[in-house]
Amino acid sequence: MSDAQEVTKPDEEAESPVPEGQSDDSDEGEASGDTEMDFLRSLFSRTLGLGPGEKVLDELTLDGVARHIQSGSCKNIICMVGAGISTSAGIPDFRSPVSGLYANLQKYNLPYPEAIFQIDYFKKHPEAFFALARELFPGQFKPTVCHYFIRMLKEKGLLRRCYSQNIDTLERVAGLGDADLVEAHGTFYTSHCLSFLCRKEYTLEWMKEKIFSDETPKCDKCNGLVKPDIVFFGENLPGRFFTSMTTDFPRCDLLIIMGTSLQVQPFASLVGRVPKSTPRLLINMEKTGESDFMSGMLGLGGGLDFESDKAYRDVAHISTCDDGCLALADLLGWKAELQELVNREHALIDSKNKKEKGEVANEDSSATEKAAPGAEAKSQKTE
């Protein structure tokens, strides 16, 4: 340090005393740090176009979301849903510590739980997956209140699309069609031969017959292994996922996220694809999808923001998906209509299942009679 520096520094300090009420220099440092952080946020926002959007909701609550839907300006709702919307139907989610699917796979002798959904493991050991498929096969479960709430959005002309991580086909059973759905992780609805030169398609009924007869599904044409069209680890997502998201999300005026941990990419990244002013409602048992620390500090990224002083569009309703949908339906004046829809559709499903079981019982009875040709003659002789 030079002599000049040594002399100047005390003078500078004397000319800049700590103002009354200010404890020490640390507050000045913090203020300087805040200014620098604000500058960085502003710089990144201007450079990347990531500044905050217009506040649309009058309050960040479920009531605020309901008023937005009722305003008439909300006509392109997108739903993003995961396994949590099907748990009340009896289908386990993946990650719950005790009841989740991954926590209950010991009986299949897997090297690790996720192996049951890895394509390389499936090609070598398909039996484990098909054993699990017998337990979870579509047709054994009824859609939930949440599924029918999404159908109501469709019937009222408000649903642009439902993006689902689920493979249980319950959205289809509830009344959504091909045009309403993007099954991001595939579906049991169709199956294909895995042989690259064959790729023959099979129906849900064909696959069901094979699985419940304890047969490993093999192609009728080339004897190759047949797999339901669900996306395994190591496979690409359906092309429809990528083509649809580029047109759907820029038009979205309300994003409803239900029953998903938002931990699996690229599905989780969809929350950041809506316009900056689009409200986003999470209905889930816990908050999820929030920005990581660094992105949050810089004000970047599309992660959900429920609690910071910059929150302006995200709402978290912590409950089961069914309860959340009923609460929103109640605010919209749809609750009785939704409950009636659920009761009516469940009654139809029960009636159909009862009829099918009766037909199966009759077929079994006929098969038994045919297997005992002497029974009819003996009965006639007795008469």
PDB file of all heavy atoms in Angstrom, residues 60 280 288-291 296 302-316:
ATOM      1  N   LEU A  60     -54.363 -14.574  -5.843  1.00  0.00           N
ATOM      2  CA  LEU A  60     -53.714 -15.862  -6.088  1.00  0.00           C
ATOM      3  C   LEU A  60     -54.335 -16.937  -5.203  1.00  0.00           C
ATOM      4  O   LEU A  60     -53.698 -17.491  -4.298  1.00  0.00           O
ATOM      5  CB  LEU A  60     -52.210 -15.745  -5.856  1.00  0.00           C
ATOM      6  CG  LEU A  60     -51.483 -14.736  -6.758  1.00  0.00           C
ATOM      7  CD1 LEU A  60     -49.994 -14.717  -6.454  1.00  0.00           C
ATOM      8  CD2 LEU A  60     -51.725 -15.048  -8.227  1.00  0.00           C
ATOM      9  N   ARG A 280     -51.328 -20.264 -13.577  1.00  0.00           N
ATOM     10  CA  ARG A 280     -51.034 -21.700 -13.454  1.00  0.00           C
ATOM     11  C   ARG A 280     -51.512 -22.183 -12.090  1.00  0.00           C
ATOM     12  O   ARG A 280     -51.085 -21.682 -11.056  1.00  0.00           O
ATOM     13  CB  ARG A 280     -49.526 -21.933 -13.627  1.00  0.00           C
ATOM     14  CG  ARG A 280     -48.998 -21.439 -14.962  1.00  0.00           C
ATOM     15  CD  ARG A 280     -47.507 -21.671 -15.168  1.00  0.00           C
ATOM     16  NE  ARG A 280     -46.670 -20.919 -14.248  1.00  0.00           N
ATOM     17  CZ  ARG A 280     -45.338 -20.815 -14.336  1.00  0.00           C
ATOM     18  NH1 ARG A 280     -44.703 -21.414 -15.329  1.00  0.00           N
ATOM     19  NH2 ARG A 280     -44.648 -20.123 -13.461  1.00  0.00           N
ATOM     20  N   THR A 288     -44.944 -28.446  -5.801  1.00  0.00           N
ATOM     21  CA  THR A 288     -43.913 -29.043  -6.641  1.00  0.00           C
ATOM     22  C   THR A 288     -43.718 -28.157  -7.864  1.00  0.00           C
ATOM     23  O   THR A 288     -44.507 -27.254  -8.131  1.00  0.00           O
ATOM     24  CB  THR A 288     -44.313 -30.470  -7.066  1.00  0.00           C
ATOM     25  OG1 THR A 288     -43.228 -31.087  -7.741  1.00  0.00           O
ATOM     26  CG2 THR A 288     -45.531 -30.445  -7.991  1.00  0.00           C
ATOM     27  N   GLY A 289     -42.634 -28.414  -8.592  1.00  0.00           N
ATOM     28  CA  GLY A 289     -42.385 -27.675  -9.815  1.00  0.00           C
ATOM     29  C   GLY A 289     -41.849 -26.280  -9.619  1.00  0.00           C
ATOM     30  O   GLY A 289     -41.818 -25.482 -10.561  1.00  0.00           O
ATOM     31  N   GLU A 290     -41.420 -25.957  -8.390  1.00  0.00           N
ATOM     32  CA  GLU A 290     -40.905 -24.613  -8.131  1.00  0.00           C
ATOM     33  C   GLU A 290     -39.505 -24.449  -8.715  1.00  0.00           C
ATOM     34  O   GLU A 290     -38.774 -25.423  -8.889  1.00  0.00           O
ATOM     35  CB  GLU A 290     -40.907 -24.333  -6.633  1.00  0.00           C
ATOM     36  CG  GLU A 290     -42.318 -24.323  -6.037  1.00  0.00           C
ATOM     37  CD  GLU A 290     -42.327 -24.249  -4.521  1.00  0.00           C
ATOM     38  OE1 GLU A 290     -42.169 -25.304  -3.884  1.00  0.00           O
ATOM     39  OE2 GLU A 290     -42.497 -23.139  -3.996  1.00  0.00           O
ATOM     40  N   SER A 291     -39.131 -23.199  -8.999  1.00  0.00           N
ATOM     41  CA  SER A 291     -37.820 -22.909  -9.581  1.00  0.00           C
ATOM     42  C   SER A 291     -36.714 -23.335  -8.639  1.00  0.00           C
ATOM     43  O   SER A 291     -36.872 -23.276  -7.415  1.00  0.00           O
ATOM     44  CB  SER A 291     -37.683 -21.411  -9.865  1.00  0.00           C
ATOM     45  OG  SER A 291     -38.640 -20.987 -10.794  1.00  0.00           O
ATOM     46  N   GLY A 296     -34.370 -19.066  -9.385  1.00  0.00           N
ATOM     47  CA  GLY A 296     -35.210 -18.184  -8.583  1.00  0.00           C
ATOM     48  C   GLY A 296     -34.506 -16.889  -8.245  1.00  0.00           C
ATOM     49  O   GLY A 296     -35.099 -15.807  -8.274  1.00  0.00           O
ATOM     50  N   GLY A 302     -39.054 -21.284 -16.041  1.00  0.00           N
ATOM     51  CA  GLY A 302     -40.508 -21.334 -16.025  1.00  0.00           C
ATOM     52  C   GLY A 302     -41.062 -22.016 -14.808  1.00  0.00           C
ATOM     53  O   GLY A 302     -42.233 -22.373 -14.778  1.00  0.00           O
ATOM     54  N   GLY A 303     -40.221 -22.247 -13.790  1.00  0.00           N
ATOM     55  CA  GLY A 303     -40.697 -22.926 -12.596  1.00  0.00           C
ATOM     56  C   GLY A 303     -41.810 -22.162 -11.906  1.00  0.00           C
ATOM     57  O   GLY A 303     -41.928 -20.938 -12.033  1.00  0.00           O
ATOM     58  N   LEU A 304     -42.638 -22.897 -11.161  1.00  0.00           N
ATOM     59  CA  LEU A 304     -43.752 -22.279 -10.454  1.00  0.00           C
ATOM     60  C   LEU A 304     -43.237 -21.439  -9.282  1.00  0.00           C
ATOM     61  O   LEU A 304     -42.241 -21.777  -8.652  1.00  0.00           O
ATOM     62  CB  LEU A 304     -44.701 -23.360  -9.952  1.00  0.00           C
ATOM     63  CG  LEU A 304     -45.256 -24.306 -11.034  1.00  0.00           C
ATOM     64  CD1 LEU A 304     -46.096 -25.407 -10.397  1.00  0.00           C
ATOM     65  CD2 LEU A 304     -46.078 -23.536 -12.051  1.00  0.00           C
ATOM     66  N   ASP A 305     -43.936 -20.355  -8.998  1.00  0.00           N
ATOM     67  CA  ASP A 305     -43.543 -19.441  -7.925  1.00  0.00           C
ATOM     68  C   ASP A 305     -44.801 -19.095  -7.125  1.00  0.00           C
ATOM     69  O   ASP A 305     -45.640 -18.323  -7.576  1.00  0.00           O
ATOM     70  CB  ASP A 305     -42.911 -18.181  -8.510  1.00  0.00           C
ATOM     71  CG  ASP A 305     -42.489 -17.180  -7.433  1.00  0.00           C
ATOM     72  OD1 ASP A 305     -42.585 -17.523  -6.235  1.00  0.00           O
ATOM     73  OD2 ASP A 305     -42.069 -16.071  -7.804  1.00  0.00           O
ATOM     74  N   PHE A 306     -44.910 -19.693  -5.940  1.00  0.00           N
ATOM     75  CA  PHE A 306     -46.108 -19.507  -5.131  1.00  0.00           C
ATOM     76  C   PHE A 306     -45.933 -18.465  -4.024  1.00  0.00           C
ATOM     77  O   PHE A 306     -46.915 -17.876  -3.582  1.00  0.00           O
ATOM     78  CB  PHE A 306     -46.508 -20.835  -4.472  1.00  0.00           C
ATOM     79  CG  PHE A 306     -46.746 -21.952  -5.451  1.00  0.00           C
ATOM     80  CD1 PHE A 306     -45.904 -23.049  -5.473  1.00  0.00           C
ATOM     81  CD2 PHE A 306     -47.798 -21.894  -6.337  1.00  0.00           C
ATOM     82  CE1 PHE A 306     -46.118 -24.094  -6.368  1.00  0.00           C
ATOM     83  CE2 PHE A 306     -48.023 -22.921  -7.247  1.00  0.00           C
ATOM     84  CZ  PHE A 306     -47.179 -24.022  -7.264  1.00  0.00           C
ATOM     85  N   GLU A 307     -44.712 -18.253  -3.569  1.00  0.00           N
ATOM     86  CA  GLU A 307     -44.529 -17.528  -2.318  1.00  0.00           C
ATOM     87  C   GLU A 307     -43.594 -16.337  -2.361  1.00  0.00           C
ATOM     88  O   GLU A 307     -43.569 -15.546  -1.414  1.00  0.00           O
ATOM     89  CB  GLU A 307     -44.024 -18.509  -1.239  1.00  0.00           C
ATOM     90  CG  GLU A 307     -45.011 -19.629  -0.948  1.00  0.00           C
ATOM     91  CD  GLU A 307     -44.436 -20.672  -0.003  1.00  0.00           C
ATOM     92  OE1 GLU A 307     -43.208 -20.640   0.217  1.00  0.00           O
ATOM     93  OE2 GLU A 307     -45.193 -21.499   0.497  1.00  0.00           O
ATOM     94  N   SER A 308     -42.804 -16.166  -3.396  1.00  0.00           N
ATOM     95  CA  SER A 308     -41.843 -15.064  -3.389  1.00  0.00           C
ATOM     96  C   SER A 308     -42.578 -13.738  -3.556  1.00  0.00           C
ATOM     97  O   SER A 308     -43.757 -13.686  -3.918  1.00  0.00           O
ATOM     98  CB  SER A 308     -40.817 -15.243  -4.511  1.00  0.00           C
ATOM     99  OG  SER A 308     -41.331 -14.762  -5.743  1.00  0.00           O
ATOM    100  N   ASP A 309     -41.848 -12.651  -3.324  1.00  0.00           N
ATOM    101  CA  ASP A 309     -42.466 -11.333  -3.474  1.00  0.00           C
ATOM    102  C   ASP A 309     -42.721 -10.986  -4.940  1.00  0.00           C
ATOM    103  O   ASP A 309     -43.352  -9.976  -5.248  1.00  0.00           O
ATOM    104  CB  ASP A 309     -41.598 -10.257  -2.823  1.00  0.00           C
ATOM    105  CG  ASP A 309     -40.179 -10.227  -3.385  1.00  0.00           C
ATOM    106  OD1 ASP A 309     -39.868 -11.056  -4.267  1.00  0.00           O
ATOM    107  OD2 ASP A 309     -39.384  -9.380  -2.935  1.00  0.00           O
ATOM    108  N   LYS A 310     -42.230 -11.842  -5.848  1.00  0.00           N
ATOM    109  CA  LYS A 310     -42.466 -11.624  -7.270  1.00  0.00           C
ATOM    110  C   LYS A 310     -43.573 -12.526  -7.824  1.00  0.00           C
ATOM    111  O   LYS A 310     -43.871 -12.478  -9.017  1.00  0.00           O
ATOM    112  CB  LYS A 310     -41.175 -11.865  -8.061  1.00  0.00           C
ATOM    113  CG  LYS A 310     -40.034 -10.945  -7.636  1.00  0.00           C
ATOM    114  CD  LYS A 310     -38.843 -11.116  -8.531  1.00  0.00           C
ATOM    115  CE  LYS A 310     -37.668 -10.275  -8.033  1.00  0.00           C
ATOM    116  NZ  LYS A 310     -38.019  -8.881  -7.788  1.00  0.00           N
ATOM    117  N   ALA A 311     -44.191 -13.345  -6.975  1.00  0.00           N
ATOM    118  CA  ALA A 311     -45.269 -14.229  -7.428  1.00  0.00           C
ATOM    119  C   ALA A 311     -46.452 -13.404  -7.916  1.00  0.00           C
ATOM    120  O   ALA A 311     -46.882 -12.463  -7.254  1.00  0.00           O
ATOM    121  CB  ALA A 311     -45.696 -15.146  -6.281  1.00  0.00           C
ATOM    122  N   TYR A 312     -46.963 -13.771  -9.098  1.00  0.00           N
ATOM    123  CA  TYR A 312     -48.066 -12.976  -9.657  1.00  0.00           C
ATOM    124  C   TYR A 312     -49.101 -13.809 -10.410  1.00  0.00           C
ATOM    125  O   TYR A 312     -50.148 -13.294 -10.803  1.00  0.00           O
ATOM    126  CB  TYR A 312     -47.514 -11.901 -10.600  1.00  0.00           C
ATOM    127  CG  TYR A 312     -46.919 -12.464 -11.885  1.00  0.00           C
ATOM    128  CD1 TYR A 312     -47.665 -12.475 -13.066  1.00  0.00           C
ATOM    129  CD2 TYR A 312     -45.630 -12.973 -11.918  1.00  0.00           C
ATOM    130  CE1 TYR A 312     -47.123 -12.984 -14.246  1.00  0.00           C
ATOM    131  CE2 TYR A 312     -45.083 -13.483 -13.072  1.00  0.00           C
ATOM    132  CZ  TYR A 312     -45.833 -13.488 -14.245  1.00  0.00           C
ATOM    133  OH  TYR A 312     -45.299 -13.992 -15.397  1.00  0.00           O
ATOM    134  N   ARG A 313     -48.830 -15.132 -10.612  1.00  0.00           N
ATOM    135  CA  ARG A 313     -49.794 -15.898 -11.410  1.00  0.00           C
ATOM    136  C   ARG A 313     -50.005 -17.336 -10.960  1.00  0.00           C
ATOM    137  O   ARG A 313     -50.920 -18.006 -11.449  1.00  0.00           O
ATOM    138  CB  ARG A 313     -49.350 -15.904 -12.867  1.00  0.00           C
ATOM    139  CG  ARG A 313     -47.974 -16.570 -13.097  1.00  0.00           C
ATOM    140  CD  ARG A 313     -47.767 -16.830 -14.562  1.00  0.00           C
ATOM    141  NE  ARG A 313     -46.418 -17.277 -14.884  1.00  0.00           N
ATOM    142  CZ  ARG A 313     -46.080 -17.816 -16.049  1.00  0.00           C
ATOM    143  NH1 ARG A 313     -47.003 -17.974 -16.981  1.00  0.00           N
ATOM    144  NH2 ARG A 313     -44.831 -18.173 -16.281  1.00  0.00           N
ATOM    145  N   ASP A 314     -49.189 -17.851 -10.035  1.00  0.00           N
ATOM    146  CA  ASP A 314     -49.241 -19.258  -9.663  1.00  0.00           C
ATOM    147  C   ASP A 314     -50.018 -19.469  -8.374  1.00  0.00           C
ATOM    148  O   ASP A 314     -49.809 -18.762  -7.386  1.00  0.00           O
ATOM    149  CB  ASP A 314     -47.820 -19.824  -9.521  1.00  0.00           C
ATOM    150  CG  ASP A 314     -47.068 -19.801 -10.839  1.00  0.00           C
ATOM    151  OD1 ASP A 314     -47.735 -19.875 -11.899  1.00  0.00           O
ATOM    152  OD2 ASP A 314     -45.829 -19.696 -10.829  1.00  0.00           O
ATOM    153  N   VAL A 315     -50.883 -20.483  -8.397  1.00  0.00           N
ATOM    154  CA  VAL A 315     -51.735 -20.806  -7.253  1.00  0.00           C
ATOM    155  C   VAL A 315     -51.548 -22.274  -6.906  1.00  0.00           C
ATOM    156  O   VAL A 315     -51.611 -23.143  -7.784  1.00  0.00           O
ATOM    157  CB  VAL A 315     -53.224 -20.547  -7.575  1.00  0.00           C
ATOM    158  CG1 VAL A 315     -54.114 -20.966  -6.410  1.00  0.00           C
ATOM    159  CG2 VAL A 315     -53.447 -19.084  -7.925  1.00  0.00           C
ATOM    160  N   ALA A 316     -51.324 -22.563  -5.634  1.00  0.00           N
ATOM    161  CA  ALA A 316     -51.216 -23.952  -5.163  1.00  0.00           C
ATOM    162  C   ALA A 316     -52.414 -24.262  -4.284  1.00  0.00           C
ATOM    163  O   ALA A 316     -52.645 -23.580  -3.278  1.00  0.00           O
ATOM    164  CB  ALA A 316     -49.918 -24.159  -4.388  1.00  0.00           C
TER     165      ALA A 316
END
